[in-house]
Amino acid sequence: DTEVTQTPKHLVMGMTNKKSLKCEQHMGHRAMYWYKQKAKKPPELMFVYSYEKLSINESVPSRFSPECPNSSLLNLHLHALQPEDSALYLCASSQVEGGGAKNIQYFGAGTRLSVL
Amino acid sequence: LAKTTQPISMDSYEGQEVNITCSHNNIATNDYITWYQQFPSQGPRFIIQGYKTKVTNEVASLFIPADRKSSTLSLPRVSLSDTAVYYCLVEAAGNKLTFGGGTRVLVKP
């Protein structure tokens, strides 16, 4: 099973709403990632969790708050977003963090977020 | 600053070989180079990974020169279903994971 499951697939929210994106994997991977992807652009790394601890935060605004409750789950809590935050949010996992041979990332299908 | 660059787009015809080169001038010493394929409204999907010289699997080959400042993904005998965006991913010195800008490959009948 090489599946990374993201929910919801689509989300529309107002600028005052609070919502959460969820990601789940059961491959025993110890690194999990959040990416943001705008149309016709490559994915941009937001956060990396390694062994359930936040390892990398790529200077993401505090209105995005990641959480890793256990080794299989990754959440992204959203609050007071701006219209320019509308994008495809991708979750990925890999055996370990880093650029080595075990860092093949498996991606979910993403959550398409629209902020009104 | 690390820079990972790819051609923006490439057209091909069914049955031809497609070669896409990614330049990564600041790749970390121990980092592997990984290529992904992405279809619209889907997440990227792993194609192939390599460290040096040549790697081949059932769908592609990856050529990496000795200086490792570039890599070339080779897709043999493409079909219409290979129309997608292809990304290289490297970890630059400083541990920053960086995708290339992506190459849109259009395979024509």
Side-chain angles (χ1 to χ4, degrees), chain A residues 33 35 37 40-43 45 56 58 90 98-101 103-105 107-109 112, chain B residues 30-32 34 36 38 41-44 46 49 87 89 91 95-97 99-101 104:
Chain A
Y33 310 76
Y35 289 87
Q37 186 174 29
K40 298 187 191 261
K41 296 289 186 185
L45 184 64
I56 294 177
E58 291 288 358
L90 293 162
N103 192 31
I104 294 172
Q105 294 186 41
F107 286 81
R112 177 76 59 190
Chain B
N30 297 320
D31 188 29
Y32 280 64
T34 312
Y36 294 86
Q38 187 176 27
S41 299
Q42 293 186 26
F46 171 79
Q49 182 185 65
Y87 292 101
L89 175 65
E91 181 173 319
N95 298 322
K96 184 171 174 66
L97 281 170
F99 275 93
R104 296 183 175 275

Side-chain angles (χ1 to χ4, degrees), chain B residues 50-67:
Chain B
Y51 182 77
K52 61 181 179 180
T53 61
K54 178 183 174 182
V55 179
T56 297
N57 63 21
E58 61 276 8
V59 298
S61 294
L62 181 59
F63 300 91
I64 304 167
D67 65 6

